Amino acid sequence: MNVLVKYLIFLYLVFSTGFMFGQQRNDAVNQEKRFTVRGAVIESDTYKPIPDVNIEVSGGAYTTTDALGEFRIEAKKGDELTIRHKDFETVYYTIKSSERIKVEVQPNKMDEYKSKLFKSRGSVQIFKSLIDSAEVYLKKDAKKSIQFIADALKNSRSVKENSEAYEVLGDVYLYWKQYDLAVSNYRISIQNRANNTVKIKLAKAYQLNKNYQESLATYNDIDKTELSNWELVTLYEGLGDVHQNTKTFNAAIDAYTEGLNVAKKHLISPKVTDLNSKIAQVYDAKGESQKAKGYFNESLKLAKTQNKKRGIEEKIKVADFQNNLSDYSSEIELRKQALEDINEIETDSVFDNESALTPQKQNYKIGNAYALQKDFGQAISYLEKSIEEADDKEDLIVQKDATRKLSEVYRDAGEFDKALVAYQQYVDLVDKVYSKKEQEISQAARFSKDIVNKQNRILSLESDRALSESKYQLNIEQARRQKLIIYSLIGGVILLLVTAFLMFNYIKQQRLANNLLALKTLRSQMNPHFIFNALNSVNSFIASNDERTANKYLTDFSLLMRAVLENSEEDFIPLEKEIELLELYTKLEHFRFKDKFDYSITVDENIDVNDFVIPPMLLQPYIENAVWHGLRYKKTKGHLNISIAQTKPDEIKITITDDGIGRQKSKALKTKNQQKQNSKGMGNIKKRVSILNAMYKDKVDVSVTDFQDEDDTGTKVIVTLKKD
């Protein structure tokens, strides 16, 4: 008997385990095709909504109608929708698409109801048809989609419909990266009618707009018990994204782990993959490579069970991680696999040049990895492929970067003629990129202006609708007059505030465009005081008949000027070149003031100077200030120290210290003209750093403090530089 029981238990475990694995695999496939179905249940004669109706999908999802008789439920094509309530017969309907559906029930003498399902695209339901059209054009034509929403608002007859329209409008702006406008419209949607789905979207829009505290507050304000399993996972994922952006890594890991547990429990396979990948990225950012590697291996394994595009995306993420670890062989192998997969799906999928899944980008990164391994032959082959593909697809950015890397590889391989030809091609491409960027900025400004105008018209429409509604209410009920007037005034104030905010944002974008045009001028500037003083020094050497010293000084000065002019068109140059310029410049200053200071330049031997780039002559103004305004006035002989150390795998710190008289004493000694000139020079360098950080995502950080607490306080400048 015991043997029989054990055998039955064994069979149960085998079949149940097989069923779970089969179910998990099916869910992984079906989840990719899921969409949200919206609907409502009402009485046909009175149009009164019916709350607490049981809505169930054959795939397992379940919900109920709210107080307005509406529901939302996750489903896929082919699922059977079951609608149950004690007052009418059960209704069954097969889902064909992400349609809007409505159930009308009509009571009879026996208190039974006949149900009728029909699509919302009927001629009498203009509002829903317009919203459907807006969603169709959401990713194709922003202006047309917004126009459909404006027309829908004209036909809106309830706060529920207003809420839905503004939600879709927020979706449009979110897709087109107008995050501030997305925030505004999601908030208006919630003001019309609170909805957890829209709150999650609002929190995401806040995060993308870098309003991190507002995003956290919105996520935390949502009642988690009211969310579906998918929404709960999305909420935890969103919290993790905010914490990762604010570099609170432990909180990010906790949030992602909570979401991962829910996704595993309810077999939400795509989210299991995504969250494993995101946890790995956080551990990588924390510098915990082994933990990151474990999660990346898991996400890579899971991604292979999903569609091919998702698998490629994960391979590329893991390849980037291997690059950070300098495991170039593993990186190359993964990128080659990804490249084969891309070539297989490229005929069925269209990747724009912004996507990471382009052959030109992967060939470029493979070539770069071979270059780091000193395998110049393979590097040249893949870089040439990248350049050819980028040229075919008009991807100037990748073409420029690959051409520059090709020049460097030819140089390192000793083929200097080819390196020069490639570098000349790179220079030509840089000019094309600048020209294209200027056109894109102009187009973006026009697009933003059109969007703002349409948003203003929609808000005006909302204000007009509110005023018309108030007049209608005045005719019905005199007692509500004052309340409606107050609401109208509030709407007008909100309209003015939103308009002012949008205008401010537009002006800010215009200023950014002007700054980009000024960047070339700022890059090419070098402190005129240094040139003037250097020539005076040469003159003094000649006047004292010290021709040999004058020739030596003039030779070094000409080398420096040549290097400065060669790099004047670059946003960034290799750190190695900047160190050479730094040593040459400091040598010249010491040559003039040997009796005033000594200097030392130290570079951490663990730093690979080829891995980092820096804006050219970024450090020169700080060294010039140290010599001319600090050490030159010191009564005793001072010291200038320049040190370069690596603090993180992707970050170095450049520290410039002097024990001169300090900033306060130096300021007291200057004339008004000197103060003005110095302020202008430092202002230019600050503006240059600010523009570069805006373009390259906070790559450079500069801080200036006193060096010591002694009588001669000196100055300490710390420049933090991040790797690409």
Side-chain angles (χ1 to χ4, degrees), residues 38 100 121 126-153 164-173 175-176 458:
R38 303 176 185 180
R100 298 173 184 276
R121 297 183 180 87
I126 301 174
F127 172 83
K128 293 187 180 297
S129 297
L130 291 168
I131 291 296
D132 286 341
S133 299
E135 291 180 332
V136 168
Y137 285 97
L138 190 150
K139 298 181 180 181
K140 301 176 183 178
D141 189 332
K143 296 178 183 178
K144 188 173 289 187
S145 182
I146 293 170
Q147 186 58 53
F148 277 118
I149 294 169
D151 294 340
L153 283 168
E164 187 175 357
Y166 281 111
E167 178 189 355
V168 177
L169 186 57
D171 293 343
V172 174
Y173 288 133
Y175 178 81
W176 292 96
I458 288 175

Side-chain angles (χ1 to χ4, degrees), residues 677-696:
Q677 292 298 324
N678 182 59
S679 174
K680 182 178 179 182
M682 295 309 296
N684 281 347
I685 199 69
K686 288 179 180 177
K687 186 175 181 182
R688 184 181 170 201
V689 169
S690 176
I691 294 174
L692 289 170
N693 278 336
M695 293 174 63
Y696 297 98

Side-chain angles (χ1 to χ4, degrees), residues 364-376:
Y364 166 68
K365 291 187 176 182
I366 293 172
N368 183 63
Y370 274 124
L372 292 170
Q373 289 185 324
K374 307 300 182 184
D375 188 346
F376 301 126

